[in-house]
């Protein structure tokens, strides 16, 4: 019997994989920076959450929700299958 044939037509081109790795790298760098700030100065991180750029405390949650909703909407508009290839 023949070996399992892996379909690779859906995986996209090399450019989409590069974007995937760049996005993952950027997310990892942001996480490391946030962890570093919180680890070194917890009081500064707490005060940064309480007032984000001079806005009230609820504004951070609203801004995060709006950014997440826009990214989710943009993700629905894209027709990519690269996650299956990872």
């Amino acid at each position: 019997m023949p070996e399992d044939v892996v379909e690779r037509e859906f995986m996209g081109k090399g450019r989409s994989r590069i974007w995937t790795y760049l996005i993952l790298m950027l997310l990892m760098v942001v996480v490391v920076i946030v962890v570093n700030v919180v680890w070194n100065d917890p009081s500064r991180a707490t005060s940064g959450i309480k007032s984000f750029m001079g806005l009230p405390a609820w504004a951070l949650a609203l801004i995060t929700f709006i950014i997440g909703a826009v990214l989710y909407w943009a993700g629905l508009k894209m027709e990519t299958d690269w996650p299956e290839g990872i």
Side-chain angles (χ1 to χ4, degrees):
M1 297 191 87
E3 294 290 325
D4 290 335
V5 177
V6 178
E7 182 181 337
R8 299 225 177 248
E9 292 178 16
F10 67 87
M11 288 180 54
K13 305 290 181 215
R15 181 179 275 176
S16 63
R17 282 193 219 134
I18 290 173
W19 275 109
T20 302
Y21 292 127
L22 286 174
I23 292 168
L24 289 175
M25 181 187 69
L26 180 68
L27 287 174
M28 288 173 54
V29 167
V30 168
V31 167
V32 167
I33 290 172
V34 168
V35 167
N36 190 20
V37 168
V38 171
W39 189 271
N40 287 335
D41 195 1
S43 62
R44 182 175 147 207
T46 303
S47 67
I49 294 295
K50 288 183 180 174
S51 71
F52 178 68
M53 294 173 52
L55 298 172
W58 54 267
L60 179 61
L62 181 64
I63 291 170
T64 304
F65 172 76
I66 291 172
I67 291 172
V70 168
L71 287 175
Y72 179 76
W73 176 80
L76 290 176
K77 298 298 177 189
M78 291 181 193
E79 189 174 333
T80 60
D81 293 325
W82 54 262
E84 288 91 4
I86 295 179

